[in-house]
Amino acid sequence: MSEVQKQALKPNQAVIIGRIDNVRTFDVQGKRTFETRVIQPAPDQFTSPSAVALMSHNKLGNSGDDVNVLVSVAGFRDNYKDKEQNAVQTARNTLRVIE
């Protein structure tokens, strides 16, 4: 078991395990930021694997690398109108690596 898995999780934290699929960089308020797309293992052979985007200020690895990281779960409310102009209320989730 890795050190990340041994840590007690605090509220709004999670452990993400998977394989890096893509890494993209951009600047947020003048600070270099990485968005790393991670494909998580499927629970069985009949289920598609999920993908999550992790935000960090340090590069987690390259495509094909396996990762096991602790993240902070956050998000914000979002409202928009669908094609029929009905109001839709949802939430956008963000996962930030605890560095």
Side-chain angles (χ1 to χ4, degrees):
M1 187 176 291
S2 75
E3 289 303 312
V4 170
Q5 290 174 310
K6 290 179 186 176
Q7 297 175 13
L9 294 178
K10 296 177 183 171
N12 302 322
Q13 289 184 344
V15 175
I16 302 296
I17 298 170
R19 183 164 291 148
I20 296 175
D21 179 52
N22 187 45
V23 179
R24 158 177 104 89
T25 61
F26 55 94
D27 286 337
V28 174
Q29 297 177 348
K31 189 162 186 173
R32 188 173 185 194
T33 302
F34 293 89
E35 180 186 70
T36 304
R37 187 172 60 196
V38 174
I39 305 300
Q40 297 176 295
D44 59 54
Q45 64 185 6
F46 303 106
T47 306
S48 295
S50 3
V52 294
L54 309 179
M55 306 302 288
S56 64
H57 291 297
N58 295 307
K59 189 173 182 181
L60 300 178
N62 297 307
S63 292
D65 291 347
D66 290 339
V67 292
N68 184 335
V69 294
L70 180 64
V71 298
S72 172
V73 180
F76 55 92
R77 289 180 270 186
D78 193 15
N79 301 306
Y80 64 91
K81 294 193 182 222
D82 64 14
K83 291 179 183 179
E84 288 80 36
Q85 297 302 306
N86 298 312
V88 177
Q89 295 181 346
T90 187
R92 304 288 176 172
N93 299 316
T94 59
L95 301 174
R96 178 159 294 282
V97 175
I98 297 175
E99 301 179 85

